[in-house]
Amino acid sequence: MRLCAWYLYGEKHRGYALNPVANFHLQNGSVLWRINWMGDTSPRGIGASCGMMVNYRYFLEETASNSALYLGSRQVRASEQVLALVAQFQQNSKL
């Protein structure tokens, strides 16, 4: 879960999220909201994402500012759950 959080939040390509689905949602003003362990247990879900599923949440009054923040300064808005996982990853990672 920590590695997944880092991949979605911290791994970048030209400053934007490396994952194309994450990039799509973040460009549209969402918040990286929740990572669900074994949220997709289909054969495709296990093969593509080890069963992980991610929720993006749209707060309608914040979508324009979130989008501008991401596109302008490449900052990802994320929930406390995701940020805690990112912090745990950074503490334990040798990257």
Side-chain angles (χ1 to χ4, degrees), residues 31-44:
V31 175
L32 180 54
W33 191 250
R34 184 173 50 219
I35 298 172
N36 305 291
W37 174 254
M38 298 307 281
D40 185 355
T41 57
S42 70
R44 183 170 186 246

Side-chain angles (χ1 to χ4, degrees), residues 20-62:
V21 174
N23 194 47
F24 170 82
H25 286 288
L26 295 169
Q27 284 181 3
N28 287 305
S30 73
V31 175
L32 180 54
W33 191 250
R34 184 173 50 219
I35 298 172
N36 305 291
W37 174 254
M38 298 307 281
D40 185 355
T41 57
S42 70
R44 183 170 186 246
I46 296 294
S49 63
C50 300
M52 304 262 187
M53 185 176 280
V54 179
N55 296 114
Y56 296 91
R57 187 165 180 187
Y58 289 86
F59 294 97
L60 295 180
E61 64 280 351
E62 298 174 8

Side-chain angles (χ1 to χ4, degrees):
M1 298 252 317
R2 294 184 299 256
L3 181 59
C4 180
W6 176 253
Y7 169 68
L8 295 169
Y9 181 84
E11 289 298 320
K12 308 286 189 209
H13 175 70
R14 296 183 180 159
Y16 296 107
L18 182 61
N19 181 275
V21 174
N23 194 47
F24 170 82
H25 286 288
L26 295 169
Q27 284 181 3
N28 287 305
S30 73
V31 175
L32 180 54
W33 191 250
R34 184 173 50 219
I35 298 172
N36 305 291
W37 174 254
M38 298 307 281
D40 185 355
T41 57
S42 70
R44 183 170 186 246
I46 296 294
S49 63
C50 300
M52 304 262 187
M53 185 176 280
V54 179
N55 296 114
Y56 296 91
R57 187 165 180 187
Y58 289 86
F59 294 97
L60 295 180
E61 64 280 351
E62 298 174 8
T63 56
S65 61
N66 289 348
S67 178
L69 183 69
Y70 181 68
L71 293 170
S73 61
R74 296 170 170 85
Q75 292 181 10
V76 174
R77 291 278 325 272
S79 70
E80 292 290 325
Q81 184 234 24
V82 173
L83 293 175
L85 289 168
V86 167
Q88 291 170 18
F89 173 82
Q90 289 175 320
Q91 287 175 343
N92 297 314
S93 174
K94 297 194 183 346
L95 295 178

